[in-house]
Amino acid sequence: RYTQVVNDDRIDSKRDYQTIGAGFKTLFKENPNIELSYSKTFSQLESSFDNKSTTQFFSVKTEVKFLQHFLWKTDYNWMSTVYEKQNTNVKQLNTYLEFHKKDSQWLFMVKGNNLFNTGLKKDVNFSDFIISNTNTYILPRVVLLSVQYKL
């Protein structure tokens, strides 16, 4: 709780911010590894006007080595923000596949970013003195084939 003075007017305010979350990660040498995380954030600001937002975030990352020479990585992120009865959902998927023999100088890779072709991520933040609504434009879907040779 705090009080602000604006143009000789006293404005009483109350701000609450809570986050709860959990995560899980494996660290195997030979087996596939997975990382899961989830968090939920609640923000409230009561003043001359009221602002409330809720954000949920879920993430999955995997790394798998298979057939001796292949490595596959993927990460998936989901975020949902509710602000003033508007719900914004953002999904992103990135993946990476690599082929490399242990003693070979050649490396082949295919990488895909933003496979769901998400175009925009909205974020709402408020503090004691400012309220911001940020739009982040995400680069369009990209698939890259790469061949490397080490000299």
Side-chain angles (χ1 to χ4, degrees), residues 3 6 24 28 32-34 36 42 58 70 90 132 151:
T3 302
V6 178
F24 173 81
F28 299 119
N33 285 306
I34 188 166
L36 299 168
F42 305 91
F58 176 71
F70 286 92
V90 176
S132 67
L151 297 175

Side-chain angles (χ1 to χ4, degrees), residues 93-95 111-117 139-144:
L93 176 66
N94 303 314
T95 191
K111 185 175 186 177
N113 286 336
N114 192 17
L115 294 179
F116 291 138
N117 208 25
L139 291 173
R141 179 184 306 122
V142 174
V143 177
L144 173 71

Side-chain angles (χ1 to χ4, degrees), residues 62-79:
T62 62
E63 182 176 311
V64 180
K65 294 179 182 177
F66 62 99
L67 299 176
Q68 291 184 325
H69 307 295
F70 286 92
L71 172 65
W72 179 52
K73 295 181 183 180
T74 186
D75 64 86
Y76 170 78
N77 298 309
W78 173 81
M79 187 175 77

Side-chain angles (χ1 to χ4, degrees), residues 13-150:
S13 300
K14 177 183 172 188
R15 186 168 82 93
D16 290 320
Y17 179 85
Q18 304 90 26
T19 299
I20 187 167
F24 173 81
K25 183 177 183 177
T26 62
L27 296 171
F28 299 119
K29 289 185 179 181
E30 299 296 325
N31 295 326
N33 285 306
I34 188 166
E35 181 178 346
L36 299 168
S37 64
Y38 174 80
S39 66
K40 189 167 187 175
T41 301
F42 305 91
S43 299
Q44 300 97 20
L45 176 63
E46 297 173 11
S47 186
S48 57
F49 50 87
D50 291 340
N51 282 296
K52 294 182 182 180
S53 76
T54 304
T55 302
Q56 297 181 72
F57 182 77
F58 176 71
S59 173
V60 177
K61 295 179 182 179
T62 62
E63 182 176 311
V64 180
K65 294 179 182 177
F66 62 99
L67 299 176
Q68 291 184 325
H69 307 295
F70 286 92
L71 172 65
W72 179 52
K73 295 181 183 180
T74 186
D75 64 86
Y76 170 78
N77 298 309
W78 173 81
M79 187 175 77
S80 174
T81 302
V82 177
Y83 178 70
E84 293 183 352
K85 298 181 182 178
Q86 292 181 345
N87 190 358
T88 303
N89 291 311
V90 176
K91 296 185 295 185
Q92 279 191 284
L93 176 66
N94 303 314
T95 191
Y96 171 91
L97 179 64
E98 174 185 297
F99 174 79
H100 182 238
K101 288 186 177 181
K102 187 175 181 178
D103 295 327
S104 175
Q105 294 172 316
W106 290 95
L107 181 130
F108 301 93
M109 174 186 60
V110 177
K111 185 175 186 177
N113 286 336
N114 192 17
L115 294 179
F116 291 138
N117 208 25
T118 303
L120 181 67
K121 176 180 152 187
K122 294 184 180 184
D123 197 14
V124 177
N125 292 303
F126 37 89
S127 69
D128 300 339
F129 303 103
I130 191 167
I131 299 169
S132 67
N133 187 351
T134 306
N135 292 333
T136 304
Y137 295 94
I138 301 169
L139 291 173
R141 179 184 306 122
V142 174
V143 177
L144 173 71
L145 172 63
S146 176
V147 178
Q148 296 178 10
Y149 181 79
K150 293 183 183 179

